[in-house]
Amino acid sequence: MNFDFGKQTWSPEELDLLALIEPLACVQHAYQKLPETLQVKSACVLGGGPIGSLHLIELAKRFPHAGLQLVDPSPERSSLARQIFPAIRSA
């Protein structure tokens, strides 16, 4: 999706996507700081909200064989994360 950043109004769908640009940039920046040779056997993400979910996406992409775990007090978020990422464990 291309955005016209000069326009004055945004659709609800555009606003939803725009709201994730800064958190996504922060998550990707953190992973770019890691050594390329880093091997990860397991990782635990604390919190299944938007930023935690972005971390799960990035971890699954960069370390496909790592065991991933999500810790979140919300059963709804844990359940949603398991639907999106069937291989993760949740606590």
Side-chain angles (χ1 to χ4, degrees), residues 41-76:
K41 293 182 182 177
S42 63
C44 180
V45 174
L46 303 177
I51 294 176
S53 296
L54 291 171
H55 277 287
L56 286 172
I57 292 167
E58 204 60 35
L59 284 164
K61 181 176 80 173
R62 291 177 184 261
F63 309 107
H65 301 294
L68 301 179
Q69 182 174 8
L70 171 67
V71 176
D72 193 293
S74 166
E76 293 83 12

Side-chain angles (χ1 to χ4, degrees), residues 6-63:
K7 72 183 198 176
Q8 299 294 317
T9 59
W10 302 90
S11 72
E13 294 82 12
E14 290 172 323
L15 288 173
D16 287 345
L17 288 173
L18 287 169
L20 288 175
I21 288 176
E22 192 268 342
L24 176 60
C26 290
V27 169
Q28 288 184 332
H29 179 74
Y31 287 91
Q32 290 171 355
K33 296 288 187 183
L34 296 176
E36 290 185 23
T37 57
L38 181 67
Q39 298 292 315
V40 174
K41 293 182 182 177
S42 63
C44 180
V45 174
L46 303 177
I51 294 176
S53 296
L54 291 171
H55 277 287
L56 286 172
I57 292 167
E58 204 60 35
L59 284 164
K61 181 176 80 173
R62 291 177 184 261
F63 309 107

